[in-house]
Amino acid sequence: LFMTLLAAWQLLLARYAGEEDVVVGTPIAGRNRLETEGLIGFFVNTLALRTGLSGDLSFAELLRRVREATLGAYQHQELPFEKLVEELAPGRSLSHTPLFQVMFSLDSGERRVPSLAGVEVEPLGVGEAVVKFDLSLGLAQAEDGLQGGLTYRAELWESTSMTRLLDHYARALEEVAADPERRLSQVSLLRAAERAQVLEEWNTTAADYPRLPVHHLFRQQAGRTPDAVALSFRAERLTYAELDRRSARLARALRRRGVGPEARVALFADRAPELVVALLAILRAGGAYVPLDPTYPAERIAFLLEDSACAALLVQDALRDFLPAGAVDPVSLEALLAEADGDEDLDDEVEVHAENAAYVIYTSGSTGHPKGVVVPHAALSNHMQWMQAAYPLSADDRVLQKTPFSFDASVWEFWAPLLCGARLVLAEPGAHREPARLARALADEGITVVQFVPSLFSALLEENLEAVASVRRIFCGGEALPAELAARGHVALGAEVVNLYGPTEVCIDATSAVAREGQGGSGTVPIGRAVANVQAYVLDGQGEPTPMGVPGELYLGGGQLARG
């Protein structure tokens, strides 16, 4: 019984820890001779029982390994535990015991309650003032089965988590008792209610948004607020009506050059008003834009041009000399805009379907060749409308666009303000590398909403932010967000801090969470819940959902994700 219970306990620990090598401590009486049975004294020693769970074992095979390890330890039970620690000399820490941090014990002796005349007697547990181990499970045989308890370090776990762990332990025992030959990978810790919760309840994210491309949503907004400032850069201002008109004219010029649905248009440009006009025009022409960052090495730019098979290449005149040799038929963006200025304002937009490509952004290529991710209009529109529903912008907001447009974080910066009547403020080129310049821009432009990668956010907080009083919300993404950083940011700026997570393939963000006030410490802000019309599942190696508290791989799904 001891070995069976221990094997199930080690199986559970392996799942929770994501490890295949588990060491558990257990006490042993140390009275293995008849002569010591009746002696008064402390003979108890501690054994460290190590079991490997590698390979696709059945529970019966695991039990054999546990038996072998246990019997081997029994043969050397006289060796004091402290002597073992001295010989092995493991790295020591004041935060936990050496060699193992989890204890398991089974009291198999018969417990008799004495019978005293005229006195009611009942067992009284002895509580521990100090928990000696991170986890300690103690079981005892009783008339109707097993009873016991779990002690744990309250600094590490909450009581609800430990209650759930015990239920998972009971579930594992039920599974292996029903079929000892079941593979460990097939032992499910989920009961029906928890399975429904992680698969269905937490992924009920359906939202019925209009399936309109973002350039249609922009045109609707331009019709509502034609005279409002849509875009500002240095001293230049463009109203919604002017941005609408210029992008419509440029879109017609692009169509005359063969740009239509699924055609990819490379854009080699730095941050400026004509960049925004071009992005909007490419979508209105039916094409998909491919951003080319002027700071990229020539080899990468040449690869992106060849791999994306672009139908056109637009380049700012000042950057033409930075194109790699052999770049075919670059078209001056300034010349094309001047040509388009003579067009009449006719509404002859190309029909664009939700499945058509909106943009192609390439991954960093840090693990191989860069990969082009093709994001359809449906995904882009869904994300923009979800963000506006979850974290709304108003006409009084000013959003700073400072992320290089070759990164998908820039997509929200460009489109979110233009769909709700807010102002898109373009930061100076290169300002994203200089926290001091960003701090000045936040203050000078009265920015209310901004997003940062946490490392840049941390550097920004080193600047004098006393003049920055307008910021009300900060989005963080691209890196894990330390809880301490979110707390500092909230104190320094008085702004709500939102943690966003998502790969490029899921159109910018897949999950979000608001950092709670007072949530400091050494941990990170959770990545949160799935966004509208996206599902997030944590699965094990067999593609099965993992219980709460058990690590796994994050899988994201939905009908509006990227392709490529």
Side-chain angles (χ1 to χ4, degrees):
L1 180 62
F2 171 82
M3 296 176 185
T4 302
L5 295 172
L6 174 62
W9 183 236
Q10 291 182 315
L11 165 61
L12 184 70
L13 294 174
R15 288 282 188 89
Y16 266 75
E19 298 286 348
E20 293 183 335
D21 192 4
V22 179
V23 184
V24 172
T26 189
I28 191 164
R31 296 176 182 268
N32 56 352
R33 292 180 174 83
L34 183 62
E35 295 82 359
T36 62
E37 284 292 330
L39 291 181
I40 296 175
F42 187 79
F43 291 76
V44 175
N45 192 21
T46 302
L47 302 180
L49 304 179
R50 179 179 183 178
T51 304
L53 288 84
S54 60
D56 194 14
L57 299 175
S58 68
F59 184 75
E61 290 171 328
L62 172 62
L63 192 54
R64 283 191 284 271
R65 291 188 182 183
V66 171
R67 180 178 185 272
E68 180 180 350
T70 303
L71 294 179
Y74 287 169
Q75 291 180 2
H76 304 282
Q77 60 181 286
E78 294 90 354
L79 179 68
F81 179 75
E82 56 270 21
K83 181 64 175 177
L84 180 64
V85 173
E86 179 183 330
E87 291 294 326
L88 295 178
R92 301 298 296 269
S93 171
L94 295 177
S95 64
H96 58 77
T97 58
L99 301 186
F100 67 87
Q101 290 81 52
V102 179
M103 176 69 80
F104 175 80
S105 63
L106 173 65
D107 186 352
S108 57
E110 183 179 358
R111 292 191 174 186
R112 295 180 180 179
V113 177
S115 177
L116 302 176
V119 178
E120 292 185 7
V121 181
E122 64 180 32
L124 177 65
V126 180
E128 293 187 74
V130 178
V131 176
K132 299 180 177 64
F133 306 97
D134 292 352
L135 281 176
S136 182
L137 177 63
L139 299 175
Q141 290 182 266
E143 293 181 0
D144 56 349
L146 293 169
Q147 63 183 17
L150 179 71
T151 59
Y152 60 91
R153 286 181 59 185
E155 296 90 346
L156 297 179
W157 292 288
E158 297 177 351
S159 60
T160 52
S161 299
M162 294 296 92
T163 300
R164 189 166 55 244
L165 180 142
L166 287 174
D167 184 64
H168 291 158
Y169 181 54
R171 172 68 175 170
L173 287 169
E174 293 169 4
E175 289 268 294
V176 300
D179 181 9
E181 296 300 329
R182 181 171 299 176
R183 298 292 169 184
L184 300 185
S185 59
Q186 297 173 340
V187 175
S188 175
L189 304 179
L190 285 171
R191 299 188 189 277
E194 190 176 359
R195 184 180 182 89
Q197 183 180 45
V198 299
L199 289 182
E200 300 169 18
E201 180 184 335
W202 288 354
N203 281 293
T204 303
T205 62
D208 187 16
Y209 299 136
R211 290 174 65 83
L212 293 174
V214 293
H215 56 281
H216 282 267
L217 297 174
F218 165 76
R219 293 202 64 193
Q220 291 178 357
Q221 182 61 46
R224 291 190 292 267
T225 57
D227 298 326
V229 176
L231 169 67
S232 63
F233 178 66
R234 296 171 180 163
E236 189 173 354
R237 302 286 186 270
L238 286 181
T239 66
Y240 273 86
E242 290 169 333
L243 182 57
D244 183 31
R245 183 168 56 252
R246 290 191 188 185
S247 62
R249 290 173 174 175
L250 182 57
R252 284 192 291 277
L254 290 172
R255 288 198 296 275
R256 287 196 295 267
R257 284 167 169 76
V259 175
E262 296 300 320
R264 296 165 188 179
V265 180
L267 189 54
F268 191 64
D270 220 334
R271 195 176 295 115
E274 59 264 29
L275 169 62
V276 181
V277 173
L279 293 177
L280 189 52
I282 292 169
L283 297 188
R284 296 179 74 152
Y289 70 87
V290 182
L292 301 179
D293 192 322
T295 63
Y296 280 165
E299 294 79 5
R300 180 178 174 89
I301 295 173
F303 172 81
L304 299 187
L305 286 170
E306 179 182 0
D307 188 72
S308 61
C310 289
L313 167 59
L314 305 183
V315 57
Q316 288 172 329
D317 289 339
L319 298 175
R320 181 180 288 269
D321 292 341
F322 293 93
L323 283 172
V328 294
D329 300 327
V331 178
S332 166
L333 178 57
E334 288 86 351
L336 196 59
L337 286 167
E339 173 191 323
D341 279 344
D343 286 352
E344 296 183 8
D345 294 327
L346 300 175
D347 186 10
D348 57 349
E349 287 187 6
V350 172
E351 182 179 2
V352 175
H353 298 287
E355 295 74 23
N356 288 140
Y359 62 87
V360 182
I361 282 186
Y362 279 77
T363 60
S364 65
S366 58
T367 58
H369 283 299
K371 177 182 66 175
V373 177
V374 184
V375 177
H377 282 275
L380 176 57
S381 180
N382 177 77
H383 189 274
M384 291 301 113
Q385 294 184 80
W386 163 76
M387 284 288 281
Q388 180 61 14
Y391 308 103
L393 297 172
S394 72
D396 296 326
D397 280 310
R398 296 186 176 199
V399 177
L400 185 66
Q401 201 294 302
K402 51 100 187 88
T403 305
F405 77 139
S406 54
F407 291 92
D408 67 344
S410 69
V411 176
W412 175 85
E413 292 177 341
F414 282 117
W415 299 113
L418 296 179
L419 304 185
C420 63
R423 181 185 297 194
L424 171 61
V425 180
L426 299 181
E428 291 283 344
H432 61 283
R433 300 189 187 92
E434 300 181 36
R437 291 175 65 187
L438 281 180
R440 287 197 300 271
L442 293 175
D444 294 345
E445 299 289 348
I447 299 300
T448 61
V449 180
V450 66
Q451 68 174 349
F452 297 109
V453 293
S455 54
L456 178 58
F457 187 28
S458 179
L460 180 72
L461 292 179
E462 300 301 320
E463 302 297 325
N464 182 5
L465 300 179
E466 293 181 0
V468 182
S470 56
V471 176
R472 67 177 183 87
R473 180 174 289 134
I474 299 168
F475 293 109
C476 284
E479 303 167 355
L481 174 60
E484 173 272 335
L485 175 61
R488 276 199 295 133
H490 176 75
V491 171
L493 295 170
E496 179 183 69
V497 180
V498 180
N499 191 28
L500 300 173
Y501 167 81
T504 302
E505 290 83 350
V506 193
C507 187
I508 315 172
D509 306 309
T511 66
S512 75
V514 176
R516 300 193 306 269
E517 290 188 30
Q519 182 185 32
S522 59
T524 57
V525 177
I527 64 172
R529 305 287 285 272
V531 310
N533 298 312
V534 172
Q535 289 76 48
Y537 305 97
V538 180
L539 307 179
D540 61 21
Q542 284 64 49
E544 288 294 313
T546 65
M548 284 181 278
V550 176
E553 297 256 351
L554 179 62
Y555 285 77
L556 302 167
Q560 301 174 332
L561 304 184
R563 65 181 188 269

